[in-house]
Amino acid sequence: MRLATWNINSVRLRIDLVTAFLKSADVDVLCLQETKTEDAHFPADALIEAGWAHHAIRGEKSYNGVAIIAREPLSDSGHMDWAGREDCRHISATTANGIKVHNFYVPAGGDVPDRDENPKFGHKLDFIAEMTAYFSQNKPQRSILVGDLNIAPLAEDVWSTKQLKNVVSHTDIERDGLLRLINDGGWSDVVRQHFGDDEVLYSWWSYRARDWAASNRGRRLDHIWTSRDLAAGVTDVTIHSDMRGAEKPSDHAPVVIDL
DNA sequence: ATGGTGGGTCACCCA
């Protein structure tokens, strides 16, 4: 099975890019974040026509929104609410080969890394803490967690760990929190394990650069983790940074694993 | 320290 995660930043604007990617990368299961559309307007027909007929979707107007798109039937689709809100930041479903997939869009957290000054940062920390509590008490098996987690946990996950020390997404409290979620939650960071500790990895490059590729100031915000029983079954990992260079691109690149 | 760009919806919200 080939599974991908991609923050698409409007699935309606980029549906042709999505179907082209599904075909060219030969993806079986695609998890999207920031679909930014209510379910009634989700571009299901284009996906069905392309050969990906099975969808678990959870969207709202303008903001957030997650989806799981598959070639083979999905079952047991559901979601949970996090940090006391009903925003569309989580959806789960079981794939035809019996793997439970959790797809998350963790809050970005605003600009100021202080929960007293900036409620968005508190929301983000609360969200991560709830995920940690949930998976610590419900240890995953035959499961995969993906998404835009909006945290780059390691020094090799950002272009400058020094310059991003106080930038939301790479502060110590976020980095520690995400690593605790991996460790206590029973997950394996199979992308990092595949490439090794020293490889610099990015999945996101800001729109606010004259030339994103030349400056290459990226961060690894998008993650794929497996439950520990599945980790040894990962045979390949690819970050499709070429998609960041597409016409009218998302600011995120797809991350793909073969299992 | 600052401003840089992009998406959604309709004066700003969000990233």
Side-chain angles (χ1 to χ4, degrees), chain A residues 80-129:
Chain A
M80 285 175 280
D81 290 320
W82 304 84
R85 304 189 192 201
E86 295 182 359
D87 50 4
C88 297
R89 295 182 179 275
H90 171 251
I91 193 166
S92 62
T94 302
T95 59
N97 56 351
I99 293 175
K100 173 122 183 180
V101 177
H102 288 279
N103 179 13
F104 281 95
Y105 176 48
V106 171
D111 289 331
V112 181
D114 180 322
R115 68 156 64 235
D116 295 324
E117 283 180 46
N118 170 22
K120 291 180 185 176
F121 194 67
H123 180 211
K124 182 179 197 174
L125 298 181
D126 292 346
F127 198 107
I128 294 290

Short mmCIF file of all heavy atoms in Angstrom, two decimals, chain A residues 80-129:
data_model
loop_
_atom_site.label_atom_id
_atom_site.label_comp_id
_atom_site.label_asym_id
_atom_site.label_seq_id
_atom_site.Cartn_x
_atom_site.Cartn_y
_atom_site.Cartn_z
N MET A 80 -13.06 12.69 15.99
CA MET A 80 -13.17 13.15 17.37
C MET A 80 -12.99 14.66 17.37
O MET A 80 -12.36 15.22 16.48
CB MET A 80 -12.11 12.50 18.25
CG MET A 80 -12.42 11.05 18.57
SD MET A 80 -11.08 10.27 19.49
CE MET A 80 -9.96 9.88 18.18
N ASP A 81 -13.55 15.30 18.39
CA ASP A 81 -13.33 16.73 18.58
C ASP A 81 -12.22 16.93 19.60
O ASP A 81 -12.10 16.17 20.56
CB ASP A 81 -14.62 17.41 19.04
CG ASP A 81 -15.65 17.46 17.92
OD1 ASP A 81 -15.26 17.72 16.78
OD2 ASP A 81 -16.84 17.24 18.20
N TRP A 82 -11.40 17.95 19.38
CA TRP A 82 -10.20 18.16 20.19
C TRP A 82 -10.18 19.58 20.73
O TRP A 82 -10.61 20.51 20.06
CB TRP A 82 -8.94 17.90 19.34
CG TRP A 82 -8.95 16.54 18.75
CD1 TRP A 82 -9.57 16.15 17.59
CD2 TRP A 82 -8.35 15.36 19.29
NE1 TRP A 82 -9.39 14.81 17.38
CE2 TRP A 82 -8.64 14.29 18.39
CE3 TRP A 82 -7.59 15.09 20.43
CZ2 TRP A 82 -8.20 12.98 18.62
CZ3 TRP A 82 -7.14 13.80 20.64
CH2 TRP A 82 -7.46 12.76 19.76
N ALA A 83 -9.64 19.71 21.93
CA ALA A 83 -9.47 21.02 22.58
C ALA A 83 -10.81 21.77 22.67
O ALA A 83 -10.85 22.99 22.57
CB ALA A 83 -8.42 21.86 21.84
N GLY A 84 -11.88 21.00 22.86
CA GLY A 84 -13.18 21.60 23.12
C GLY A 84 -13.83 22.29 21.94
O GLY A 84 -14.74 23.09 22.12
N ARG A 85 -13.39 21.95 20.73
CA ARG A 85 -13.96 22.60 19.55
C ARG A 85 -14.47 21.58 18.56
O ARG A 85 -14.03 20.44 18.56
CB ARG A 85 -12.90 23.47 18.86
CG ARG A 85 -12.32 24.49 19.80
CD ARG A 85 -11.45 25.46 19.06
NE ARG A 85 -10.69 26.26 20.02
CZ ARG A 85 -10.16 27.42 19.74
NH1 ARG A 85 -10.31 27.93 18.54
NH2 ARG A 85 -9.48 28.07 20.66
N GLU A 86 -15.36 22.02 17.69
CA GLU A 86 -15.90 21.14 16.66
C GLU A 86 -15.34 21.50 15.29
O GLU A 86 -15.98 21.27 14.27
CB GLU A 86 -17.43 21.20 16.68
CG GLU A 86 -18.01 20.66 17.97
CD GLU A 86 -19.53 20.65 18.00
OE1 GLU A 86 -20.14 21.09 17.01
OE2 GLU A 86 -20.08 20.20 19.01
N ASP A 87 -14.17 22.10 15.25
CA ASP A 87 -13.55 22.41 13.96
C ASP A 87 -13.07 21.11 13.30
O ASP A 87 -12.87 20.10 13.96
CB ASP A 87 -12.41 23.42 14.10
CG ASP A 87 -11.41 23.05 15.17
OD1 ASP A 87 -11.55 21.98 15.78
OD2 ASP A 87 -10.50 23.84 15.43
N CYS A 88 -12.93 21.15 11.99
CA CYS A 88 -12.68 19.92 11.23
C CYS A 88 -11.19 19.67 11.10
O CYS A 88 -10.59 19.93 10.06
CB CYS A 88 -13.36 20.02 9.88
SG CYS A 88 -15.15 20.17 10.04
N ARG A 89 -10.60 19.14 12.17
CA ARG A 89 -9.15 18.92 12.21
C ARG A 89 -8.77 17.46 12.36
O ARG A 89 -7.59 17.14 12.50
CB ARG A 89 -8.54 19.73 13.35
CG ARG A 89 -8.66 21.24 13.18
CD ARG A 89 -7.98 21.96 14.33
NE ARG A 89 -8.05 23.40 14.20
CZ ARG A 89 -7.19 24.15 13.51
NH1 ARG A 89 -6.19 23.57 12.87
NH2 ARG A 89 -7.34 25.45 13.46
N HIS A 90 -9.74 16.56 12.36
CA HIS A 90 -9.43 15.13 12.50
C HIS A 90 -10.49 14.30 11.79
O HIS A 90 -11.69 14.61 11.87
CB HIS A 90 -9.38 14.74 13.99
CG HIS A 90 -9.28 13.26 14.22
ND1 HIS A 90 -10.31 12.50 14.72
CD2 HIS A 90 -8.25 12.40 14.00
CE1 HIS A 90 -9.92 11.23 14.81
NE2 HIS A 90 -8.68 11.15 14.38
N ILE A 91 -10.02 13.27 11.10
CA ILE A 91 -10.92 12.24 10.57
C ILE A 91 -10.14 10.94 10.58
O ILE A 91 -8.92 10.93 10.43
CB ILE A 91 -11.43 12.61 9.15
CG1 ILE A 91 -12.60 11.71 8.76
CG2 ILE A 91 -10.32 12.58 8.13
CD1 ILE A 91 -13.37 12.21 7.56
N SER A 92 -10.87 9.85 10.77
CA SER A 92 -10.23 8.53 10.74
C SER A 92 -11.07 7.58 9.91
O SER A 92 -12.28 7.79 9.74
CB SER A 92 -10.05 7.98 12.16
OG SER A 92 -11.31 7.81 12.78
N ALA A 93 -10.41 6.56 9.39
CA ALA A 93 -11.10 5.53 8.63
C ALA A 93 -10.18 4.32 8.56
O ALA A 93 -8.96 4.44 8.76
CB ALA A 93 -11.44 6.01 7.22
N THR A 94 -10.78 3.17 8.26
CA THR A 94 -10.00 1.93 8.11
C THR A 94 -9.92 1.58 6.63
O THR A 94 -10.94 1.59 5.93
CB THR A 94 -10.65 0.80 8.91
OG1 THR A 94 -10.71 1.18 10.29
CG2 THR A 94 -9.83 -0.49 8.80
N THR A 95 -8.71 1.29 6.17
CA THR A 95 -8.50 0.98 4.75
C THR A 95 -8.94 -0.46 4.46
O THR A 95 -9.16 -1.25 5.38
CB THR A 95 -7.01 1.14 4.38
OG1 THR A 95 -6.24 0.25 5.20
CG2 THR A 95 -6.55 2.56 4.60
N ALA A 96 -9.01 -0.79 3.17
CA ALA A 96 -9.49 -2.11 2.76
C ALA A 96 -8.60 -3.22 3.31
O ALA A 96 -9.08 -4.34 3.54
CB ALA A 96 -9.56 -2.18 1.24
N ASN A 97 -7.32 -2.94 3.53
CA ASN A 97 -6.43 -3.95 4.09
C ASN A 97 -6.33 -3.85 5.61
O ASN A 97 -5.41 -4.38 6.22
CB ASN A 97 -5.04 -3.88 3.44
CG ASN A 97 -4.42 -2.50 3.54
OD1 ASN A 97 -5.09 -1.55 3.95
ND2 ASN A 97 -3.16 -2.39 3.18
N GLY A 98 -7.29 -3.16 6.21
CA GLY A 98 -7.44 -3.24 7.66
C GLY A 98 -6.49 -2.38 8.48
O GLY A 98 -6.15 -2.72 9.61
N ILE A 99 -6.09 -1.25 7.92
CA ILE A 99 -5.23 -0.33 8.67
C ILE A 99 -6.03 0.91 9.04
O ILE A 99 -6.66 1.55 8.19
CB ILE A 99 -3.99 0.04 7.85
CG1 ILE A 99 -3.10 -1.19 7.70
CG2 ILE A 99 -3.21 1.18 8.53
CD1 ILE A 99 -1.90 -0.99 6.83
N LYS A 100 -6.02 1.23 10.32
CA LYS A 100 -6.73 2.42 10.80
C LYS A 100 -5.86 3.65 10.53
O LYS A 100 -4.70 3.70 10.94
CB LYS A 100 -7.02 2.29 12.30
CG LYS A 100 -7.60 3.54 12.92
CD LYS A 100 -8.93 3.27 13.57
CE LYS A 100 -9.55 4.55 14.13
NZ LYS A 100 -10.85 4.27 14.75
N VAL A 101 -6.43 4.63 9.86
CA VAL A 101 -5.71 5.85 9.50
C VAL A 101 -6.32 7.03 10.24
O VAL A 101 -7.53 7.28 10.15
CB VAL A 101 -5.78 6.09 7.97
CG1 VAL A 101 -5.08 7.40 7.61
CG2 VAL A 101 -5.16 4.93 7.21
N HIS A 102 -5.47 7.76 10.98
CA HIS A 102 -5.86 9.01 11.63
C HIS A 102 -5.23 10.16 10.86
O HIS A 102 -4.01 10.20 10.69
CB HIS A 102 -5.34 9.07 13.07
CG HIS A 102 -6.05 8.16 14.01
ND1 HIS A 102 -7.26 8.49 14.59
CD2 HIS A 102 -5.73 6.93 14.49
CE1 HIS A 102 -7.64 7.50 15.39
NE2 HIS A 102 -6.73 6.55 15.35
N ASN A 103 -6.07 11.08 10.43
CA ASN A 103 -5.60 12.23 9.66
C ASN A 103 -5.88 13.50 10.45
O ASN A 103 -7.03 13.80 10.74
CB ASN A 103 -6.34 12.25 8.31
CG ASN A 103 -5.96 13.41 7.42
OD1 ASN A 103 -4.98 14.11 7.68
ND2 ASN A 103 -6.74 13.64 6.38
N PHE A 104 -4.80 14.25 10.78
CA PHE A 104 -4.92 15.43 11.66
C PHE A 104 -4.45 16.71 10.97
O PHE A 104 -3.48 16.71 10.20
CB PHE A 104 -4.03 15.25 12.90
CG PHE A 104 -4.60 14.37 13.97
CD1 PHE A 104 -4.25 13.02 14.02
CD2 PHE A 104 -5.47 14.87 14.93
CE1 PHE A 104 -4.77 12.21 15.03
CE2 PHE A 104 -5.99 14.06 15.93
CZ PHE A 104 -5.63 12.72 15.97
N TYR A 105 -5.14 17.78 11.30
CA TYR A 105 -4.65 19.12 10.98
C TYR A 105 -4.54 19.90 12.30
O TYR A 105 -5.52 20.43 12.81
CB TYR A 105 -5.59 19.83 10.01
CG TYR A 105 -5.22 21.25 9.71
CD1 TYR A 105 -3.91 21.59 9.39
CD2 TYR A 105 -6.15 22.28 9.77
CE1 TYR A 105 -3.55 22.90 9.14
CE2 TYR A 105 -5.81 23.59 9.52
CZ TYR A 105 -4.51 23.90 9.20
OH TYR A 105 -4.15 25.20 8.95
N VAL A 106 -3.34 19.90 12.85
CA VAL A 106 -3.10 20.54 14.15
C VAL A 106 -3.07 22.06 13.96
O VAL A 106 -2.54 22.56 12.97
CB VAL A 106 -1.77 20.03 14.75
CG1 VAL A 106 -1.36 20.83 15.98
CG2 VAL A 106 -1.87 18.55 15.09
N PRO A 107 -3.66 22.82 14.91
CA PRO A 107 -3.66 24.29 14.79
C PRO A 107 -2.25 24.84 14.57
O PRO A 107 -1.28 24.37 15.18
CB PRO A 107 -4.21 24.76 16.14
CG PRO A 107 -5.01 23.61 16.65
CD PRO A 107 -4.34 22.37 16.13
N ALA A 108 -2.14 25.86 13.71
CA ALA A 108 -0.84 26.46 13.43
C ALA A 108 -0.28 27.18 14.67
O ALA A 108 0.93 27.20 14.87
CB ALA A 108 -0.94 27.41 12.25
N GLY A 109 -1.15 27.81 15.44
CA GLY A 109 -0.70 28.37 16.71
C GLY A 109 -0.38 29.85 16.72
O GLY A 109 0.13 30.36 17.73
N GLY A 110 -0.68 30.57 15.64
CA GLY A 110 -0.45 32.02 15.63
C GLY A 110 1.03 32.37 15.66
O GLY A 110 1.89 31.52 15.41
N ASP A 111 1.32 33.64 15.97
CA ASP A 111 2.69 34.14 15.83
C ASP A 111 3.48 34.20 17.14
O ASP A 111 4.69 34.10 17.12
CB ASP A 111 2.67 35.54 15.20
CG ASP A 111 2.29 35.49 13.73
OD1 ASP A 111 2.57 34.47 13.08
OD2 ASP A 111 1.69 36.46 13.24
N VAL A 112 2.79 34.41 18.25
CA VAL A 112 3.48 34.64 19.52
C VAL A 112 3.49 33.36 20.34
O VAL A 112 2.43 32.84 20.69
CB VAL A 112 2.81 35.78 20.32
CG1 VAL A 112 3.53 36.03 21.62
CG2 VAL A 112 2.74 37.05 19.47
N PRO A 113 4.67 32.83 20.67
CA PRO A 113 4.73 31.54 21.37
C PRO A 113 4.51 31.66 22.88
O PRO A 113 5.38 31.30 23.68
CB PRO A 113 6.14 31.04 21.04
CG PRO A 113 6.94 32.27 20.85
CD PRO A 113 6.00 33.31 20.27
N ASP A 114 3.34 32.18 23.24
CA ASP A 114 3.01 32.39 24.66
C ASP A 114 1.49 32.23 24.81
O ASP A 114 0.74 32.99 24.19
CB ASP A 114 3.45 33.80 25.07
CG ASP A 114 3.15 34.10 26.53
OD1 ASP A 114 2.10 33.67 27.03
OD2 ASP A 114 3.98 34.78 27.17
N ARG A 115 1.09 31.25 25.60
CA ARG A 115 -0.34 30.97 25.66
C ARG A 115 -1.14 32.06 26.36
O ARG A 115 -2.35 32.17 26.15
CB ARG A 115 -0.62 29.61 26.30
CG ARG A 115 -0.30 29.49 27.75
CD ARG A 115 -1.11 28.36 28.41
NE ARG A 115 -0.85 27.03 27.94
CZ ARG A 115 -1.78 26.20 27.46
NH1 ARG A 115 -3.03 26.58 27.35
NH2 ARG A 115 -1.46 24.97 27.10
N ASP A 116 -0.50 32.89 27.19
CA ASP A 116 -1.23 33.98 27.84
C ASP A 116 -1.47 35.13 26.88
O ASP A 116 -2.54 35.74 26.87
CB ASP A 116 -0.45 34.47 29.06
CG ASP A 116 -0.36 33.39 30.13
OD1 ASP A 116 -1.35 32.64 30.27
OD2 ASP A 116 0.68 33.28 30.79
N GLU A 117 -0.46 35.43 26.06
CA GLU A 117 -0.61 36.52 25.09
C GLU A 117 -1.36 36.09 23.84
O GLU A 117 -1.94 36.93 23.15
CB GLU A 117 0.78 37.02 24.65
CG GLU A 117 1.49 37.90 25.65
CD GLU A 117 2.84 38.34 25.11
OE1 GLU A 117 2.90 38.77 23.94
OE2 GLU A 117 3.83 38.23 25.86
N ASN A 118 -1.32 34.81 23.54
CA ASN A 118 -1.82 34.33 22.25
C ASN A 118 -2.64 33.05 22.44
O ASN A 118 -2.07 31.96 22.53
CB ASN A 118 -0.63 34.09 21.31
CG ASN A 118 -1.03 33.37 20.03
OD1 ASN A 118 -2.18 33.39 19.63
ND2 ASN A 118 -0.07 32.73 19.41
N PRO A 119 -3.97 33.17 22.47
CA PRO A 119 -4.83 32.00 22.68
C PRO A 119 -4.63 30.91 21.62
O PRO A 119 -4.84 29.73 21.91
CB PRO A 119 -6.25 32.58 22.58
CG PRO A 119 -6.10 34.04 22.82
CD PRO A 119 -4.74 34.42 22.34
N LYS A 120 -4.21 31.29 20.41
CA LYS A 120 -4.00 30.27 19.37
C LYS A 120 -2.87 29.32 19.76
O LYS A 120 -2.89 28.14 19.43
CB LYS A 120 -3.65 30.95 18.03
CG LYS A 120 -4.80 31.70 17.40
CD LYS A 120 -4.32 32.32 16.11
CE LYS A 120 -5.40 33.19 15.48
NZ LYS A 120 -4.88 33.85 14.27
N PHE A 121 -1.86 29.86 20.43
CA PHE A 121 -0.75 29.01 20.87
C PHE A 121 -1.22 28.05 21.96
O PHE A 121 -0.86 26.86 21.96
CB PHE A 121 0.42 29.86 21.35
CG PHE A 121 1.70 29.09 21.51
CD1 PHE A 121 2.36 28.58 20.40
CD2 PHE A 121 2.25 28.89 22.77
CE1 PHE A 121 3.54 27.86 20.54
CE2 PHE A 121 3.44 28.17 22.91
CZ PHE A 121 4.08 27.66 21.80
N GLY A 122 -2.04 28.55 22.88
CA GLY A 122 -2.62 27.68 23.91
C GLY A 122 -3.48 26.58 23.29
O GLY A 122 -3.42 25.42 23.72
N HIS A 123 -4.27 26.93 22.29
CA HIS A 123 -5.09 25.95 21.58
C HIS A 123 -4.23 24.83 20.99
O HIS A 123 -4.52 23.65 21.12
CB HIS A 123 -5.89 26.67 20.48
CG HIS A 123 -6.78 25.78 19.68
ND1 HIS A 123 -7.06 26.04 18.35
CD2 HIS A 123 -7.44 24.64 19.98
CE1 HIS A 123 -7.88 25.10 17.89
NE2 HIS A 123 -8.12 24.24 18.85
N LYS A 124 -3.12 25.24 20.37
CA LYS A 124 -2.21 24.26 19.78
C LYS A 124 -1.62 23.33 20.84
O LYS A 124 -1.61 22.10 20.67
CB LYS A 124 -1.09 24.98 19.04
CG LYS A 124 -0.10 24.08 18.33
CD LYS A 124 0.96 24.91 17.61
CE LYS A 124 1.71 24.10 16.56
NZ LYS A 124 2.64 24.95 15.78
N LEU A 125 -1.15 23.90 21.96
CA LEU A 125 -0.57 23.07 23.02
C LEU A 125 -1.61 22.14 23.63
O LEU A 125 -1.33 20.97 23.93
CB LEU A 125 0.05 23.96 24.10
CG LEU A 125 1.21 24.86 23.67
CD1 LEU A 125 1.71 25.67 24.86
CD2 LEU A 125 2.34 24.06 23.04
N ASP A 126 -2.83 22.65 23.81
CA ASP A 126 -3.90 21.82 24.36
C ASP A 126 -4.24 20.67 23.40
O ASP A 126 -4.49 19.55 23.84
CB ASP A 126 -5.17 22.65 24.59
CG ASP A 126 -4.99 23.67 25.72
OD1 ASP A 126 -4.01 23.54 26.48
OD2 ASP A 126 -5.82 24.59 25.81
N PHE A 127 -4.24 20.97 22.12
CA PHE A 127 -4.55 19.95 21.10
C PHE A 127 -3.52 18.82 21.16
O PHE A 127 -3.88 17.64 21.18
CB PHE A 127 -4.56 20.64 19.73
CG PHE A 127 -5.26 19.88 18.63
CD1 PHE A 127 -6.49 20.30 18.15
CD2 PHE A 127 -4.67 18.77 18.05
CE1 PHE A 127 -7.13 19.62 17.13
CE2 PHE A 127 -5.31 18.09 17.03
CZ PHE A 127 -6.54 18.51 16.57
N ILE A 128 -2.26 19.18 21.19
CA ILE A 128 -1.19 18.17 21.25
C ILE A 128 -1.27 17.38 22.55
O ILE A 128 -1.09 16.15 22.57
CB ILE A 128 0.19 18.85 21.11
CG1 ILE A 128 0.34 19.46 19.70
CG2 ILE A 128 1.33 17.87 21.40
CD1 ILE A 128 0.48 18.47 18.58
N ALA A 129 -1.58 18.07 23.66
CA ALA A 129 -1.68 17.39 24.96
C ALA A 129 -2.84 16.38 24.93
O ALA A 129 -2.71 15.27 25.46
CB ALA A 129 -1.89 18.41 26.07
#
